[in-house]
Amino acid sequence: DAGVIQSPRHEVTEMGQEVTLRCKPISGHDYLFWYRQTMMRGLELLIYFNNNVPIDDSGMPEDRFSAKMPNASFSTLKIQPSEPRDSAVYFCASSFSGSYNEQFFGPGTRLTVL
Amino acid sequence: SQKIEQNSEALNIQEGKTATLTCNYTNYSPAYLQWYRQDPGRGPVFLLLIRENEKEKRKERLKVTFDTTLKQSLFHITASQPADSATYLCAPYNQGGKLIFGQGTELSVKP
């Protein structure tokens, strides 16, 4: 298996623009997680899905952030409009049969909002 | 609020020595605790999971302890090697169904 796949790997955009990050989890995994990592706040959980259904989105910073999982092999995290404080590395992770089980992380998307 | 503390300063040790990293948590009682390794520019990689009823878990040169009374987990790397240099993240699992990651401890193993 290729592991968790994220795209793009790097994104530079201007304030106010819409940003869409993409994730393909490991086949057969039923949990998908979106994290954000910054030097100041570390690795924070934004939202997670179980069987394509959002379970906990309490970590989503505000209404500018939205996430979808239309099927078991694809998820998106959208920021609209983007702001400079959204600059961070965004990771997608997946796990099998339990949110407490080991999580497999993707390589991340480094987002810079100018 | 739930809080996780890891050694904030980088840990520098000599090759061959044992590295010990500390993870303290407050205001909750996790049923599981995980440790991850993160290299620069990469996503975290799972190392070990320990349950609340397990005092100790080993995997090759790695050992994790879990003291629910002290609310602390220790992570040991024996016979450390320069390739072990990385940031190590502690992640207790809270009752809300989520892993809460610590800030991580940067380990540097010198030859």
Side-chain angles (χ1 to χ4, degrees), chain B residues 7-53:
Chain B
N7 314 60
S8 56
E9 295 186 9
L11 183 62
N12 298 302
I13 65 167
Q14 206 69 30
E15 182 176 8
K17 300 293 186 185
T18 296
T20 298
L21 284 65
T22 303
C23 173
N24 296 298
Y25 55 91
T26 55
N27 295 328
Y28 69 121
S29 300
Y32 307 87
L33 189 145
Q34 299 185 17
W35 283 87
Y36 287 76
R37 167 184 173 142
Q38 187 173 23
D39 291 282
R42 294 179 174 265
V45 174
F46 172 81
L47 296 174
L48 281 166
L49 179 155
I50 188 166
R51 294 172 172 77
E52 62 178 342
N53 61 351

CSV table of all heavy atoms in Angstrom, one decimal, chain B residues 7-53:
chain,number,residue,atom,x,y,z
B,7,ASN,N,9.4,16.9,28.0
B,7,ASN,CA,10.6,17.7,28.2
B,7,ASN,C,10.6,18.8,27.1
B,7,ASN,O,10.7,18.5,25.9
B,7,ASN,CB,11.8,16.8,28.0
B,7,ASN,CG,11.7,15.5,28.7
B,7,ASN,OD1,10.9,14.7,28.4
B,7,ASN,ND2,12.7,15.2,29.6
B,8,SER,N,10.6,20.0,27.6
B,8,SER,CA,10.6,21.1,26.6
B,8,SER,C,12.0,21.3,25.9
B,8,SER,O,12.0,21.7,24.8
B,8,SER,CB,10.1,22.4,27.2
B,8,SER,OG,11.0,22.7,28.3
B,9,GLU,N,13.0,21.0,26.7
B,9,GLU,CA,14.3,21.2,26.1
B,9,GLU,C,14.8,20.0,25.3
B,9,GLU,O,14.4,18.9,25.7
B,9,GLU,CB,15.3,21.5,27.2
B,9,GLU,CG,15.1,22.8,27.9
B,9,GLU,CD,16.1,23.2,28.9
B,9,GLU,OE1,17.2,22.5,28.9
B,9,GLU,OE2,16.0,24.1,29.7
B,10,ALA,N,15.6,20.2,24.4
B,10,ALA,CA,16.1,19.1,23.6
B,10,ALA,C,17.0,18.2,24.5
B,10,ALA,O,17.7,18.7,25.4
B,10,ALA,CB,16.9,19.6,22.4
B,11,LEU,N,17.0,16.9,24.1
B,11,LEU,CA,17.8,16.0,24.9
B,11,LEU,C,19.0,15.6,24.0
B,11,LEU,O,18.8,15.0,22.9
B,11,LEU,CB,17.0,14.8,25.3
B,11,LEU,CG,17.6,13.7,26.1
B,11,LEU,CD1,18.0,14.2,27.5
B,11,LEU,CD2,16.6,12.5,26.3
B,12,ASN,N,20.2,15.8,24.5
B,12,ASN,CA,21.4,15.4,23.8
B,12,ASN,C,22.1,14.3,24.5
B,12,ASN,O,22.5,14.5,25.7
B,12,ASN,CB,22.4,16.6,23.7
B,12,ASN,CG,21.7,17.8,22.9
B,12,ASN,OD1,21.3,17.6,21.8
B,12,ASN,ND2,21.6,18.9,23.6
B,13,ILE,N,22.4,13.2,23.9
B,13,ILE,CA,23.1,12.1,24.5
B,13,ILE,C,24.1,11.5,23.6
B,13,ILE,O,24.1,11.8,22.4
B,13,ILE,CB,22.1,11.0,25.0
B,13,ILE,CG1,21.4,10.3,23.8
B,13,ILE,CG2,21.1,11.5,25.9
B,13,ILE,CD1,20.7,9.1,24.2
B,14,GLN,N,25.0,10.7,24.2
B,14,GLN,CA,26.0,10.1,23.4
B,14,GLN,C,25.6,8.7,22.9
B,14,GLN,O,24.8,8.0,23.6
B,14,GLN,CB,27.2,9.9,24.3
B,14,GLN,CG,28.6,9.8,23.6
B,14,GLN,CD,29.0,11.1,23.1
B,14,GLN,OE1,28.6,12.2,23.6
B,14,GLN,NE2,29.7,11.1,22.0
B,15,GLU,N,26.0,8.4,21.7
B,15,GLU,CA,25.7,7.1,21.1
B,15,GLU,C,26.0,6.0,22.1
B,15,GLU,O,27.0,6.0,22.8
B,15,GLU,CB,26.5,6.9,19.8
B,15,GLU,CG,26.2,5.6,19.1
B,15,GLU,CD,27.0,5.5,17.8
B,15,GLU,OE1,27.8,6.4,17.5
B,15,GLU,OE2,26.7,4.6,17.0
B,16,GLY,N,25.1,5.0,22.1
B,16,GLY,CA,25.3,3.9,23.0
B,16,GLY,C,24.6,4.0,24.4
B,16,GLY,O,24.3,3.0,25.1
B,17,LYS,N,24.3,5.2,24.8
B,17,LYS,CA,23.6,5.5,26.0
B,17,LYS,C,22.1,5.3,25.9
B,17,LYS,O,21.6,5.2,24.8
B,17,LYS,CB,23.9,6.9,26.5
B,17,LYS,CG,25.4,7.2,26.7
B,17,LYS,CD,25.9,6.5,27.9
B,17,LYS,CE,27.4,6.9,28.1
B,17,LYS,NZ,28.0,6.1,29.2
B,18,THR,N,21.4,5.2,27.1
B,18,THR,CA,20.0,5.1,27.1
B,18,THR,C,19.3,6.5,27.1
B,18,THR,O,19.7,7.3,28.0
B,18,THR,CB,19.5,4.3,28.3
B,18,THR,OG1,20.0,2.9,28.1
B,18,THR,CG2,18.0,4.3,28.3
B,19,ALA,N,18.4,6.8,26.2
B,19,ALA,CA,17.7,8.0,26.2
B,19,ALA,C,16.4,7.8,27.0
B,19,ALA,O,15.7,6.8,26.7
B,19,ALA,CB,17.4,8.5,24.8
B,20,THR,N,16.0,8.7,27.9
B,20,THR,CA,14.7,8.6,28.6
B,20,THR,C,14.0,9.9,28.4
B,20,THR,O,14.4,11.0,28.7
B,20,THR,CB,15.0,8.4,30.1
B,20,THR,OG1,15.7,7.1,30.3
B,20,THR,CG2,13.6,8.3,30.8
B,21,LEU,N,12.8,9.8,27.9
B,21,LEU,CA,11.9,10.9,27.6
B,21,LEU,C,10.7,10.8,28.5
B,21,LEU,O,10.2,9.7,28.7
B,21,LEU,CB,11.4,10.9,26.1
B,21,LEU,CG,12.5,11.4,25.1
B,21,LEU,CD1,13.6,10.4,25.0
B,21,LEU,CD2,11.8,11.5,23.7
B,22,THR,N,10.2,11.9,29.0
B,22,THR,CA,9.1,12.0,29.9
B,22,THR,C,7.9,12.6,29.3
B,22,THR,O,7.9,13.6,28.6
B,22,THR,CB,9.5,12.8,31.2
B,22,THR,OG1,10.7,12.2,31.7
B,22,THR,CG2,8.4,12.8,32.2
B,23,CYS,N,6.7,12.0,29.7
B,23,CYS,CA,5.4,12.6,29.3
B,23,CYS,C,4.5,12.6,30.6
B,23,CYS,O,4.3,11.5,31.2
B,23,CYS,CB,4.8,11.7,28.2
B,23,CYS,SG,3.1,12.2,27.8
B,24,ASN,N,4.1,13.8,31.0
B,24,ASN,CA,3.2,13.9,32.1
B,24,ASN,C,1.9,14.5,31.6
B,24,ASN,O,1.9,15.4,30.7
B,24,ASN,CB,3.8,14.9,33.2
B,24,ASN,CG,5.1,14.3,33.8
B,24,ASN,OD1,5.1,13.3,34.4
B,24,ASN,ND2,6.2,15.0,33.6
B,25,TYR,N,0.8,14.0,32.2
B,25,TYR,CA,-0.5,14.5,31.8
B,25,TYR,C,-1.3,14.8,33.0
B,25,TYR,O,-1.1,14.3,34.1
B,25,TYR,CB,-1.2,13.5,30.9
B,25,TYR,CG,-1.4,12.1,31.5
B,25,TYR,CD1,-2.5,11.8,32.2
B,25,TYR,CD2,-0.4,11.2,31.3
B,25,TYR,CE1,-2.6,10.5,32.8
B,25,TYR,CE2,-0.5,9.9,31.9
B,25,TYR,CZ,-1.6,9.6,32.6
B,25,TYR,OH,-1.8,8.3,33.2
B,26,THR,N,-2.2,15.8,32.8
B,26,THR,CA,-3.1,16.2,34.0
B,26,THR,C,-4.5,16.3,33.5
B,26,THR,O,-4.8,16.5,32.4
B,26,THR,CB,-2.6,17.6,34.5
B,26,THR,OG1,-2.6,18.5,33.5
B,26,THR,CG2,-1.2,17.5,35.2
B,27,ASN,N,-5.4,16.2,34.5
B,27,ASN,CA,-6.8,16.4,34.4
B,27,ASN,C,-7.6,15.4,33.5
B,27,ASN,O,-8.6,15.7,33.0
B,27,ASN,CB,-7.1,17.8,33.9
B,27,ASN,CG,-6.7,18.9,34.9
B,27,ASN,OD1,-6.8,18.6,36.1
B,27,ASN,ND2,-6.3,20.0,34.4
B,28,TYR,N,-6.9,14.2,33.3
B,28,TYR,CA,-7.7,13.1,32.7
B,28,TYR,C,-7.0,11.8,32.9
B,28,TYR,O,-5.8,11.8,33.4
B,28,TYR,CB,-8.1,13.4,31.3
B,28,TYR,CG,-7.0,13.3,30.2
B,28,TYR,CD1,-7.1,12.4,29.2
B,28,TYR,CD2,-6.0,14.3,30.2
B,28,TYR,CE1,-6.1,12.4,28.2
B,28,TYR,CE2,-5.0,14.3,29.2
B,28,TYR,CZ,-5.1,13.4,28.2
B,28,TYR,OH,-4.1,13.4,27.2
B,29,SER,N,-7.7,10.7,32.6
B,29,SER,CA,-7.1,9.4,32.9
B,29,SER,C,-7.3,8.6,31.6
B,29,SER,O,-8.3,7.9,31.3
B,29,SER,CB,-7.9,8.7,34.0
B,29,SER,OG,-7.9,9.4,35.2
B,30,PRO,N,-6.2,8.7,30.7
B,30,PRO,CA,-6.3,8.0,29.5
B,30,PRO,C,-6.3,6.4,29.6
B,30,PRO,O,-5.6,5.9,30.5
B,30,PRO,CB,-5.0,8.5,28.7
B,30,PRO,CG,-4.1,8.9,29.8
B,30,PRO,CD,-5.0,9.4,30.9
B,31,ALA,N,-7.1,5.8,28.8
B,31,ALA,CA,-7.1,4.3,28.8
B,31,ALA,C,-5.9,3.8,27.9
B,31,ALA,O,-5.5,2.6,28.1
B,31,ALA,CB,-8.4,3.8,28.3
B,32,TYR,N,-5.4,4.6,27.0
B,32,TYR,CA,-4.3,4.2,26.2
B,32,TYR,C,-3.4,5.4,26.0
B,32,TYR,O,-3.8,6.6,26.2
B,32,TYR,CB,-4.8,3.9,24.8
B,32,TYR,CG,-5.9,2.8,24.7
B,32,TYR,CD1,-7.2,3.2,24.8
B,32,TYR,CD2,-5.6,1.5,24.5
B,32,TYR,CE1,-8.2,2.3,24.7
B,32,TYR,CE2,-6.6,0.6,24.4
B,32,TYR,CZ,-7.9,1.0,24.5
B,32,TYR,OH,-8.9,0.1,24.5
B,33,LEU,N,-2.1,5.1,25.7
B,33,LEU,CA,-1.2,6.1,25.5
B,33,LEU,C,-0.3,5.7,24.3
B,33,LEU,O,0.2,4.5,24.3
B,33,LEU,CB,-0.4,6.4,26.7
B,33,LEU,CG,0.6,7.7,26.7
B,33,LEU,CD1,0.6,8.3,28.1
B,33,LEU,CD2,2.0,7.3,26.3
B,34,GLN,N,0.0,6.5,23.4
B,34,GLN,CA,0.8,6.2,22.2
B,34,GLN,C,2.1,7.1,22.2
B,34,GLN,O,2.1,8.2,22.7
B,34,GLN,CB,0.0,6.3,20.9
B,34,GLN,CG,-1.2,5.4,20.9
B,34,GLN,CD,-1.9,5.5,19.5
B,34,GLN,OE1,-1.3,6.0,18.5
B,34,GLN,NE2,-3.1,5.0,19.5
B,35,TRP,N,3.1,6.5,21.6
B,35,TRP,CA,4.3,7.3,21.3
B,35,TRP,C,4.6,7.3,19.8
B,35,TRP,O,4.4,6.2,19.1
B,35,TRP,CB,5.5,6.8,22.0
B,35,TRP,CG,5.5,7.1,23.5
B,35,TRP,CD1,5.0,6.4,24.5
B,35,TRP,CD2,6.2,8.2,24.1
B,35,TRP,NE1,5.2,7.1,25.7
B,35,TRP,CE2,6.0,8.2,25.5
B,35,TRP,CE3,7.0,9.3,23.6
B,35,TRP,CZ2,6.5,9.1,26.3
B,35,TRP,CZ3,7.5,10.2,24.4
B,35,TRP,CH2,7.2,10.2,25.8
B,36,TYR,N,4.9,8.4,19.2
B,36,TYR,CA,5.2,8.6,17.8
B,36,TYR,C,6.6,9.2,17.7
B,36,TYR,O,7.1,10.0,18.5
B,36,TYR,CB,4.2,9.5,17.1
B,36,TYR,CG,2.9,8.9,16.9
B,36,TYR,CD1,2.0,8.7,18.0
B,36,TYR,CD2,2.5,8.4,15.7
B,36,TYR,CE1,0.7,8.1,17.8
B,36,TYR,CE2,1.2,7.8,15.5
B,36,TYR,CZ,0.4,7.7,16.6
B,36,TYR,OH,-0.8,7.1,16.4
B,37,ARG,N,7.2,9.0,16.5
B,37,ARG,CA,8.4,9.6,16.1
B,37,ARG,C,8.2,10.5,14.9
B,37,ARG,O,7.4,10.1,14.0
B,37,ARG,CB,9.5,8.6,15.8
B,37,ARG,CG,10.7,9.1,15.0
B,37,ARG,CD,11.6,8.0,14.6
B,37,ARG,NE,12.7,8.6,13.8
B,37,ARG,CZ,14.0,8.2,13.8
B,37,ARG,NH1,14.3,7.2,14.6
B,37,ARG,NH2,14.9,8.8,13.1
B,38,GLN,N,8.8,11.7,14.9
B,38,GLN,CA,8.6,12.6,13.8
B,38,GLN,C,10.0,13.1,13.4
B,38,GLN,O,10.7,13.7,14.2
B,38,GLN,CB,7.7,13.8,14.1
B,38,GLN,CG,7.3,14.6,12.9
B,38,GLN,CD,6.3,15.7,13.2
B,38,GLN,OE1,6.0,16.1,14.3
B,38,GLN,NE2,5.6,16.1,12.1
B,39,ASP,N,10.3,12.9,12.1
B,39,ASP,CA,11.5,13.5,11.5
B,39,ASP,C,11.1,14.8,10.8
B,39,ASP,O,10.0,15.0,10.4
B,39,ASP,CB,12.1,12.5,10.5
B,39,ASP,CG,12.7,11.3,11.2
B,39,ASP,OD1,13.8,11.4,11.8
B,39,ASP,OD2,12.0,10.2,11.3
B,40,PRO,N,12.1,15.7,10.6
B,40,PRO,CA,11.8,17.0,10.0
B,40,PRO,C,11.2,16.8,8.6
B,40,PRO,O,11.7,16.0,7.8
B,40,PRO,CB,13.2,17.6,9.9
B,40,PRO,CG,14.0,17.0,11.0
B,40,PRO,CD,13.5,15.6,11.1
B,41,GLY,N,10.1,17.6,8.4
B,41,GLY,CA,9.5,17.5,7.1
B,41,GLY,C,8.6,16.3,6.8
B,41,GLY,O,8.2,16.1,5.7
B,42,ARG,N,8.4,15.5,7.8
B,42,ARG,CA,7.6,14.3,7.6
B,42,ARG,C,6.5,14.2,8.7
B,42,ARG,O,6.5,14.9,9.7
B,42,ARG,CB,8.5,13.1,7.8
B,42,ARG,CG,9.6,13.0,6.7
B,42,ARG,CD,10.5,11.8,6.9
B,42,ARG,NE,11.4,11.6,5.7
B,42,ARG,CZ,11.1,10.8,4.7
B,42,ARG,NH1,10.0,10.1,4.6
B,42,ARG,NH2,12.0,10.7,3.7
B,43,GLY,N,5.5,13.3,8.4
B,43,GLY,CA,4.5,13.1,9.3
B,43,GLY,C,4.9,12.2,10.5
B,43,GLY,O,5.9,11.4,10.3
B,44,PRO,N,4.2,12.2,11.6
B,44,PRO,CA,4.6,11.3,12.7
B,44,PRO,C,4.4,9.8,12.3
B,44,PRO,O,3.6,9.5,11.5
B,44,PRO,CB,3.6,11.7,13.8
B,44,PRO,CG,3.2,13.1,13.5
B,44,PRO,CD,3.2,13.1,12.0
B,45,VAL,N,5.3,9.0,12.9
B,45,VAL,CA,5.2,7.6,12.7
B,45,VAL,C,5.0,6.9,14.0
B,45,VAL,O,5.7,7.1,15.0
B,45,VAL,CB,6.6,7.1,12.1
B,45,VAL,CG1,6.6,5.6,11.9
B,45,VAL,CG2,6.7,7.7,10.7
B,46,PHE,N,4.0,6.0,14.1
B,46,PHE,CA,3.7,5.3,15.3
B,46,PHE,C,4.8,4.4,15.7
B,46,PHE,O,5.4,3.7,14.9
B,46,PHE,CB,2.4,4.4,15.0
B,46,PHE,CG,2.1,3.5,16.1
B,46,PHE,CD1,1.4,3.9,17.2
B,46,PHE,CD2,2.4,2.2,16.1
B,46,PHE,CE1,1.0,3.1,18.3
B,46,PHE,CE2,2.1,1.3,17.1
B,46,PHE,CZ,1.4,1.7,18.2
B,47,LEU,N,5.0,4.4,17.1
B,47,LEU,CA,6.1,3.5,17.6
B,47,LEU,C,5.4,2.4,18.6
B,47,LEU,O,5.7,1.2,18.4
B,47,LEU,CB,7.1,4.3,18.4
B,47,LEU,CG,7.9,5.3,17.6
B,47,LEU,CD1,8.8,6.1,18.5
B,47,LEU,CD2,8.8,4.6,16.6
B,48,LEU,N,4.7,2.9,19.6
B,48,LEU,CA,4.2,1.9,20.6
B,48,LEU,C,2.9,2.4,21.1
B,48,LEU,O,2.7,3.6,21.2
B,48,LEU,CB,5.2,1.8,21.8
B,48,LEU,CG,6.4,0.9,21.6
B,48,LEU,CD1,7.4,1.2,22.7
B,48,LEU,CD2,6.0,-0.6,21.6
B,49,LEU,N,2.1,1.5,21.6
B,49,LEU,CA,0.8,1.8,22.3
B,49,LEU,C,0.8,1.0,23.6
B,49,LEU,O,1.2,-0.2,23.6
B,49,LEU,CB,-0.4,1.4,21.4
B,49,LEU,CG,-1.8,1.6,22.0
B,49,LEU,CD1,-2.8,1.7,20.9
B,49,LEU,CD2,-2.2,0.4,22.9
B,50,ILE,N,0.5,1.7,24.7
B,50,ILE,CA,0.4,1.0,26.0
B,50,ILE,C,-0.9,1.2,26.6
B,50,ILE,O,-1.5,2.4,26.5
B,50,ILE,CB,1.6,1.4,26.9
B,50,ILE,CG1,1.6,0.6,28.2
B,50,ILE,CG2,1.5,2.9,27.2
B,50,ILE,CD1,2.9,0.7,28.9
B,51,ARG,N,-1.5,0.2,27.2
B,51,ARG,CA,-2.8,0.3,27.8
B,51,ARG,C,-2.7,0.6,29.3
B,51,ARG,O,-1.7,0.4,29.9
B,51,ARG,CB,-3.6,-1.0,27.6
B,51,ARG,CG,-4.0,-1.2,26.2
B,51,ARG,CD,-4.6,-2.6,25.9
B,51,ARG,NE,-5.1,-2.7,24.6
B,51,ARG,CZ,-4.3,-3.0,23.5
B,51,ARG,NH1,-3.0,-3.1,23.6
B,51,ARG,NH2,-4.9,-3.1,22.3
B,52,GLU,N,-3.8,1.1,29.9
B,52,GLU,CA,-3.7,1.5,31.3
B,52,GLU,C,-3.4,0.4,32.2
B,52,GLU,O,-2.9,0.6,33.3
B,52,GLU,CB,-5.0,2.3,31.7
B,52,GLU,CG,-6.2,1.4,31.6
B,52,GLU,CD,-7.5,2.2,32.1
B,52,GLU,OE1,-7.3,3.2,32.8
B,52,GLU,OE2,-8.6,1.7,31.7
B,53,ASN,N,-3.8,-0.8,31.8
B,53,ASN,CA,-3.5,-2.0,32.7
B,53,ASN,C,-2.2,-2.6,32.4
B,53,ASN,O,-1.8,-3.7,33.0
B,53,ASN,CB,-4.6,-3.0,32.5
B,53,ASN,CG,-4.7,-3.6,31.1
B,53,ASN,OD1,-4.1,-3.0,30.2
B,53,ASN,ND2,-5.5,-4.6,30.9
